Amino acid sequence: MSDYRQLCTFSLDGLHFGIEISRVQEVIRHQAMTPVPLASPAVRGLINLRGQIVAAIDLRRRLRLRERPEGQLAMHVVVHTGYEAVSLLVDEVGEVADVEEASFEPSPDTLTGAARGLILGAYKLDGRLLLLLDTERVVSPGEEGT
């Protein structure tokens, strides 16, 4: 019997990504953000999540993808890290996917730079790849890729 893993899936610039469902606190629609002066370009601002101040990280910028088209609103995937919640801005949230561990391939050695540290590997699904993100490294300010 195969082992399965549950991932929260989402899309960015036509690519499909997943993160461990156990890391996801909630998914919310677009909210107004307050910009933070001198913050990293990936930090789009702060949101007020029921009284909790949460940093919003634009995954398009963090992964060096094209900017989100004008007028396209991002969704928030709120994840919990070691001690705080962080919002990941994504284009569209997908489903909770049960992926078979046997379909996982780690990132190839030829994948270098920021991507190597942020993408753990990929799951081979029907006709596409689902890239697995390292949530801790994506939200870590010491891992700046932008």
Side-chain angles (χ1 to χ4, degrees), residues 13-70:
D13 198 22
L15 300 172
H16 302 283
F17 292 89
I19 56 177
E20 291 280 349
I21 192 70
S22 63
R23 305 303 298 260
V24 177
Q25 177 177 314
E26 62 189 295
V27 174
I28 56 177
R29 295 186 187 276
H30 179 77
Q31 288 195 0
M33 292 172 271
T34 301
V36 180
L38 302 177
S40 155
V43 177
R44 292 301 291 249
L46 301 174
I47 62 171
N48 182 348
L49 185 61
R50 292 179 303 284
Q52 180 182 15
I53 303 303
V54 175
I57 297 174
D58 190 333
L59 281 183
R60 276 183 175 251
R61 287 185 177 180
R62 186 71 173 98
L63 296 170
R64 297 183 184 162
L65 299 171
R66 292 181 293 181
E67 287 290 320
R68 189 169 284 103
E70 191 70 31

Side-chain angles (χ1 to χ4, degrees), residues 105-112 115-116 119-122 131:
E105 291 285 334
S107 297
D109 291 337
T110 54
L111 184 64
T112 61
R116 177 113 180 119
I119 298 172
L120 296 171
L131 303 173

